[in-house]
Amino acid sequence: QVQLVESGGGLVQAGGSLRLSCQASGSIFVINAMGWYRQAPRKQRELVAVIASGGSSNYADSVKGRFAISRDNAKNTAYLQMNSLKPEDTAVYYCYANMWRVGTPTSNDYWGQGTQVTVSS
């Protein structure tokens, strides 16, 4: 079994910052991409940021210049630094990872349980 555990969500005023963490654990062989998605009420889940094992990253246009994704491969952990937060960033943020489990022939997508981020105006 593998598990993604998120932390760092909460309530912040507009203009403030939060840092999300996501740690993968379990029978992991290799972690490919890690990233963050978010889902606001009555909206579809959308990609926020993703980072490859080599460090290259992509961001949604709405967060470019404000959010930064990073990872510590030794700790199987990804981070999302969120600055200049806006009320429209309010959503449940889900950690994502594409991983090879030990003993499996293919990689699969895994999801965290989600962490609420609320930005007040």
Side-chain angles (χ1 to χ4, degrees):
Q1 293 289 346
V2 296
Q3 190 176 16
L4 296 175
V5 178
E6 300 138 333
S7 60
L11 173 64
V12 65
Q13 288 187 332
S17 299
L18 284 174
R19 188 190 193 211
L20 304 183
S21 299
C22 172
Q23 185 171 34
S25 62
S27 55
I28 300 166
F29 180 55
V30 171
I31 301 178
N32 297 318
M34 296 186 78
W36 297 89
Y37 284 70
R38 67 186 181 187
Q39 187 166 18
R42 298 174 298 281
K43 291 189 176 181
Q44 289 189 330
R45 190 175 296 190
E46 63 175 0
L47 174 69
V48 177
V50 63
I51 184 167
S53 57
S56 60
S57 58
N58 285 299
Y59 297 88
D61 288 342
S62 59
V63 306
K64 283 180 181 177
R66 300 187 298 122
F67 290 11
I69 190 170
S70 61
R71 64 190 281 175
D72 183 335
N73 291 330
K75 295 181 179 180
N76 291 338
T77 301
Y79 305 94
L80 185 67
Q81 178 66 44
M82 305 185 292
N83 300 324
S84 302
L85 282 160
K86 304 175 181 180
E88 50 263 44
D89 294 318
T90 296
V92 177
Y93 284 69
Y94 296 91
C95 177
Y96 153 85
N98 181 271
M99 298 187 282
W100 292 77
R101 287 178 55 193
V102 174
T104 58
T106 61
S107 64
N108 289 286
D109 294 337
Y110 296 87
W111 295 90
Q113 78 284 359
T115 185
Q116 177 70 45
V117 171
T118 302
V119 184
S120 62
S121 57

